[in-house]
């Protein structure tokens, strides 16, 4: 890619970042750093949903090179090349619409990357100058490198022609970034509340909070597994391998090929040996994702039930329960309605919401559990001299 075109892309990414940065700077929130963190959470959530739209409209190769489009900064400049490719294959991977979808996705990712860089730079400057609480640079630095890794997988998604393991990893890294940013934002909330004298006191005994903490961790793990399975379904185009529910092909346990279905390193639609992927392999991928959803609903639903009446967790518990129900509904609707785009995007949106809320629940459970244990230890230490005097 020419240096001038690359510079034009960087300027575009900077312009995308300037609008949310200006909104943070002009907001009435006295803690601009915390506001920036949650702005990154919001935009990353949007990027994940738009990335799902990009994938589901087969726009991942709308510009078949990276980072630009035919070596140029935007589809306007590459219009002749795009039009020629579309004329050769009107229903192929390159069209004007798909090129714009793909490049908007890249511009948004660049803008968020610049905001994360600004957050990291602010943290290092403030920490070196004043050692201010909340500006510890470790987490922002991890976020920066995680975002750089995500960008690398975005490039490989294009250059390796939508290889399923690369596209799936790209999706999972996006969800990981969302979780890390949400954790960081939740930590900034606690720091802000502590500095302003506002604290949430644990409203449940330590054993209950410990149980919630471990349930929240377990729920996060099973959701991560389900995300990986869902990504594998999507990147292998196995959504309609079963066109009925709860059975598949008229059977509870259909004919499946797990060996080829879950072989990671292979081309899209091919086996590791280069042959066409058998339909039974797609059935296996779909069937495992569908049935593991029962584990997710059971465990995450039980976690929400246990957290329902705990102060500081009630709204999250209700939200998790609602999203679980919506995910089940959109998953089933995707099958019965023959994979409509809007519902498929909503299913991806629900997955991102589940990651966001479970991360917040994990952080609050950890914070309240640690606070309760600290209070209990302080009480025991204070009581010890009194017993000794007696």
């Amino acid at each position: 890619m020419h240096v001038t075109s690359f510079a034009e892309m960087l300027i575009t990414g900077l312009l995308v970042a300037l609008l949310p940065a200006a909104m943070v700077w002009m907001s009435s929130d006295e803690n601009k750093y915390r506001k920036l963190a949650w702005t990154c959470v919001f935009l990353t959530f949007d990027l994940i949903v738009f990335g799902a739209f990009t994938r589901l409209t087969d726009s991942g190769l709308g510009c078949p090179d990276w980072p630009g489009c035919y070596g140029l900064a935007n589809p306007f400049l590459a219009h002749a090349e795009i039009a020629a490719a579309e004329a050769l294959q009107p229903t192929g991977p390159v069209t004007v619409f798909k090129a714009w979808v793909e490049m908007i996705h890249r511009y948004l990712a660049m803008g968020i990357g610049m905001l994360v860089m600004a957050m990291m730079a602010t943290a290092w400057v403030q920490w070196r100058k004043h050692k201010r609480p909340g500006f510890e640079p470790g987490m922002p630095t991890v976020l920066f490198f995680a975002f750089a890794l995500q960008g690398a997988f975005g490039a490989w998604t294009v250059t390796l022609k939508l290889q399923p393991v690369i596209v799936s990893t790209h999706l999972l890294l996006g969800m990981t970034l969302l979780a890390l940013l949400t954790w960081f934002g939740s930590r900034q909330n606690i720091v802000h509340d502590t500095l302003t004298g506002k604290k949430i006191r644990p409203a449940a005994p330590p054993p209950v909070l410990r149980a919630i903490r471990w349930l929240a961790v377990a729920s996060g793990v099973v959701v991560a597994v389900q995300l990986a399975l869902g990504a594998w379904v999507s990147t292998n185009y196995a959504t309609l391998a079963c066109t009925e529910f709860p059975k598949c092909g008229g059977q509870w346990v259909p004919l499946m090929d797990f060996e080829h279905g879950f072989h990671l390193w292979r081309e899209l639609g091919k086996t590791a040996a280069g042959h066409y992927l058998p339909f039974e392999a797609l059935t296996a991928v779909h069937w495992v994702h569908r049935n593991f959803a029962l584990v997710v609903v059971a465990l995450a639903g039980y976690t929400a039930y246990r957290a329902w009446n705990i102060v500081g967790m009630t709204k999250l518990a209700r939200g998790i329960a609602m999203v679980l129900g919506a995910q089940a509904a959109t998953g089933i609707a995707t099958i019965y309605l023959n994979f409509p785009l809007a519902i498929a995007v909503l299913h991806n949106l629900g997955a991102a919401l589940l990651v966001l809320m479970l991360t917040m629940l994990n952080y609050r459970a950890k914070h309240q559990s640690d606070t309760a244990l600290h209070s209990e230890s302080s009480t025991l230490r204070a009581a010890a001299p009194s017993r000794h005097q007696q």
Side-chain angles (χ1 to χ4, degrees), residues 169-185:
T169 304
H170 186 54
L171 187 151
L172 290 175
L173 280 172
M175 292 293 190
T176 302
L177 267 171
L178 178 63
L180 289 172
L181 282 164
T182 303
W183 187 273
F184 181 67

mmCIF file of all heavy atoms in Angstrom, residues 169-185:
data_model
loop_
_atom_site.group_PDB
_atom_site.id
_atom_site.type_symbol
_atom_site.label_atom_id
_atom_site.label_comp_id
_atom_site.label_asym_id
_atom_site.label_seq_id
_atom_site.Cartn_x
_atom_site.Cartn_y
_atom_site.Cartn_z
ATOM 1 N N THR A 169 -11.206 -16.799 15.741
ATOM 2 C CA THR A 169 -10.331 -16.170 16.725
ATOM 3 C C THR A 169 -10.521 -14.663 16.731
ATOM 4 O O THR A 169 -10.508 -14.023 17.784
ATOM 5 C CB THR A 169 -8.857 -16.515 16.424
ATOM 6 O OG1 THR A 169 -8.705 -17.937 16.392
ATOM 7 C CG2 THR A 169 -7.938 -15.947 17.489
ATOM 8 N N HIS A 170 -10.715 -14.084 15.548
ATOM 9 C CA HIS A 170 -10.973 -12.644 15.437
ATOM 10 C C HIS A 170 -12.236 -12.269 16.218
ATOM 11 O O HIS A 170 -12.248 -11.273 16.960
ATOM 12 C CB HIS A 170 -11.118 -12.286 13.956
ATOM 13 C CG HIS A 170 -11.233 -10.823 13.685
ATOM 14 N ND1 HIS A 170 -10.320 -9.897 14.135
ATOM 15 C CD2 HIS A 170 -12.171 -10.116 12.995
ATOM 16 C CE1 HIS A 170 -10.685 -8.685 13.740
ATOM 17 N NE2 HIS A 170 -11.798 -8.791 13.049
ATOM 18 N N LEU A 171 -13.275 -13.062 16.066
ATOM 19 C CA LEU A 171 -14.522 -12.807 16.797
ATOM 20 C C LEU A 171 -14.317 -12.954 18.305
ATOM 21 O O LEU A 171 -14.761 -12.109 19.092
ATOM 22 C CB LEU A 171 -15.610 -13.764 16.315
ATOM 23 C CG LEU A 171 -17.027 -13.550 16.843
ATOM 24 C CD1 LEU A 171 -18.051 -14.032 15.826
ATOM 25 C CD2 LEU A 171 -17.270 -14.296 18.159
ATOM 26 N N LEU A 172 -13.630 -14.000 18.723
ATOM 27 C CA LEU A 172 -13.406 -14.242 20.153
ATOM 28 C C LEU A 172 -12.526 -13.159 20.773
ATOM 29 O O LEU A 172 -12.745 -12.755 21.914
ATOM 30 C CB LEU A 172 -12.777 -15.617 20.358
ATOM 31 C CG LEU A 172 -13.689 -16.810 20.080
ATOM 32 C CD1 LEU A 172 -12.914 -18.114 20.192
ATOM 33 C CD2 LEU A 172 -14.862 -16.832 21.060
ATOM 34 N N LEU A 173 -11.533 -12.682 20.014
ATOM 35 C CA LEU A 173 -10.704 -11.592 20.521
ATOM 36 C C LEU A 173 -11.529 -10.317 20.688
ATOM 37 O O LEU A 173 -11.300 -9.533 21.621
ATOM 38 C CB LEU A 173 -9.520 -11.341 19.578
ATOM 39 C CG LEU A 173 -8.335 -12.296 19.723
ATOM 40 C CD1 LEU A 173 -7.323 -12.052 18.606
ATOM 41 C CD2 LEU A 173 -7.672 -12.130 21.090
ATOM 42 N N GLY A 174 -12.485 -10.097 19.785
ATOM 43 C CA GLY A 174 -13.376 -8.945 19.931
ATOM 44 C C GLY A 174 -14.178 -9.030 21.221
ATOM 45 O O GLY A 174 -14.318 -8.041 21.956
ATOM 46 N N MET A 175 -14.705 -10.214 21.514
ATOM 47 C CA MET A 175 -15.450 -10.407 22.756
ATOM 48 C C MET A 175 -14.527 -10.272 23.975
ATOM 49 O O MET A 175 -14.928 -9.740 25.021
ATOM 50 C CB MET A 175 -16.118 -11.782 22.755
ATOM 51 C CG MET A 175 -17.233 -11.939 21.735
ATOM 52 S SD MET A 175 -18.670 -10.899 22.118
ATOM 53 C CE MET A 175 -19.852 -11.541 20.929
ATOM 54 N N THR A 176 -13.290 -10.754 23.843
ATOM 55 C CA THR A 176 -12.322 -10.610 24.935
ATOM 56 C C THR A 176 -12.016 -9.145 25.202
ATOM 57 O O THR A 176 -11.936 -8.713 26.362
ATOM 58 C CB THR A 176 -11.021 -11.363 24.590
ATOM 59 O OG1 THR A 176 -11.315 -12.740 24.359
ATOM 60 C CG2 THR A 176 -10.009 -11.253 25.722
ATOM 61 N N LEU A 177 -11.845 -8.365 24.135
ATOM 62 C CA LEU A 177 -11.625 -6.924 24.289
ATOM 63 C C LEU A 177 -12.801 -6.254 24.991
ATOM 64 O O LEU A 177 -12.618 -5.399 25.866
ATOM 65 C CB LEU A 177 -11.412 -6.288 22.921
ATOM 66 C CG LEU A 177 -9.969 -6.153 22.444
ATOM 67 C CD1 LEU A 177 -9.941 -5.705 20.993
ATOM 68 C CD2 LEU A 177 -9.212 -5.154 23.311
ATOM 69 N N LEU A 178 -14.012 -6.644 24.606
ATOM 70 C CA LEU A 178 -15.198 -6.091 25.254
ATOM 71 C C LEU A 178 -15.194 -6.417 26.745
ATOM 72 O O LEU A 178 -15.483 -5.552 27.586
ATOM 73 C CB LEU A 178 -16.459 -6.637 24.591
ATOM 74 C CG LEU A 178 -17.793 -6.178 25.190
ATOM 75 C CD1 LEU A 178 -17.953 -4.669 25.054
ATOM 76 C CD2 LEU A 178 -18.967 -6.903 24.527
ATOM 77 N N ALA A 179 -14.848 -7.656 27.089
ATOM 78 C CA ALA A 179 -14.807 -8.062 28.490
ATOM 79 C C ALA A 179 -13.727 -7.296 29.260
ATOM 80 O O ALA A 179 -13.959 -6.819 30.381
ATOM 81 C CB ALA A 179 -14.571 -9.569 28.599
ATOM 82 N N LEU A 180 -12.534 -7.164 28.664
ATOM 83 C CA LEU A 180 -11.449 -6.442 29.334
ATOM 84 C C LEU A 180 -11.802 -4.972 29.555
ATOM 85 O O LEU A 180 -11.545 -4.403 30.622
ATOM 86 C CB LEU A 180 -10.170 -6.553 28.512
ATOM 87 C CG LEU A 180 -9.482 -7.921 28.477
ATOM 88 C CD1 LEU A 180 -8.332 -7.913 27.466
ATOM 89 C CD2 LEU A 180 -8.964 -8.308 29.853
ATOM 90 N N LEU A 181 -12.380 -4.348 28.533
ATOM 91 C CA LEU A 181 -12.774 -2.942 28.671
ATOM 92 C C LEU A 181 -13.876 -2.766 29.709
ATOM 93 O O LEU A 181 -13.874 -1.798 30.482
ATOM 94 C CB LEU A 181 -13.238 -2.396 27.312
ATOM 95 C CG LEU A 181 -12.132 -2.025 26.323
ATOM 96 C CD1 LEU A 181 -12.699 -1.881 24.919
ATOM 97 C CD2 LEU A 181 -11.447 -0.729 26.762
ATOM 98 N N THR A 182 -14.818 -3.705 29.752
ATOM 99 C CA THR A 182 -15.901 -3.643 30.739
ATOM 100 C C THR A 182 -15.345 -3.819 32.145
ATOM 101 O O THR A 182 -15.776 -3.123 33.086
ATOM 102 C CB THR A 182 -16.954 -4.718 30.440
ATOM 103 O OG1 THR A 182 -17.445 -4.540 29.110
ATOM 104 C CG2 THR A 182 -18.112 -4.635 31.408
ATOM 105 N N TRP A 183 -14.410 -4.750 32.309
ATOM 106 C CA TRP A 183 -13.768 -4.949 33.614
ATOM 107 C C TRP A 183 -13.043 -3.669 34.049
ATOM 108 O O TRP A 183 -13.142 -3.230 35.201
ATOM 109 C CB TRP A 183 -12.794 -6.115 33.528
ATOM 110 C CG TRP A 183 -12.188 -6.536 34.840
ATOM 111 C CD1 TRP A 183 -11.064 -6.037 35.427
ATOM 112 C CD2 TRP A 183 -12.678 -7.554 35.727
ATOM 113 N NE1 TRP A 183 -10.828 -6.670 36.616
ATOM 114 C CE2 TRP A 183 -11.790 -7.603 36.826
ATOM 115 C CE3 TRP A 183 -13.763 -8.419 35.691
ATOM 116 C CZ2 TRP A 183 -11.962 -8.496 37.890
ATOM 117 C CZ3 TRP A 183 -13.942 -9.304 36.741
ATOM 118 C CH2 TRP A 183 -13.053 -9.339 37.822
ATOM 119 N N PHE A 184 -12.320 -3.069 33.087
ATOM 120 C CA PHE A 184 -11.595 -1.833 33.384
ATOM 121 C C PHE A 184 -12.561 -0.703 33.748
ATOM 122 O O PHE A 184 -12.323 0.054 34.698
ATOM 123 C CB PHE A 184 -10.745 -1.445 32.180
ATOM 124 C CG PHE A 184 -9.923 -0.199 32.387
ATOM 125 C CD1 PHE A 184 -8.877 -0.173 33.291
ATOM 126 C CD2 PHE A 184 -10.203 0.951 31.657
ATOM 127 C CE1 PHE A 184 -8.117 0.971 33.478
ATOM 128 C CE2 PHE A 184 -9.450 2.096 31.839
ATOM 129 C CZ PHE A 184 -8.411 2.111 32.751
ATOM 130 N N GLY A 185 -13.641 -0.579 32.983
ATOM 131 C CA GLY A 185 -14.630 0.450 33.284
ATOM 132 C C GLY A 185 -15.274 0.240 34.650
ATOM 133 O O GLY A 185 -15.504 1.196 35.398
#
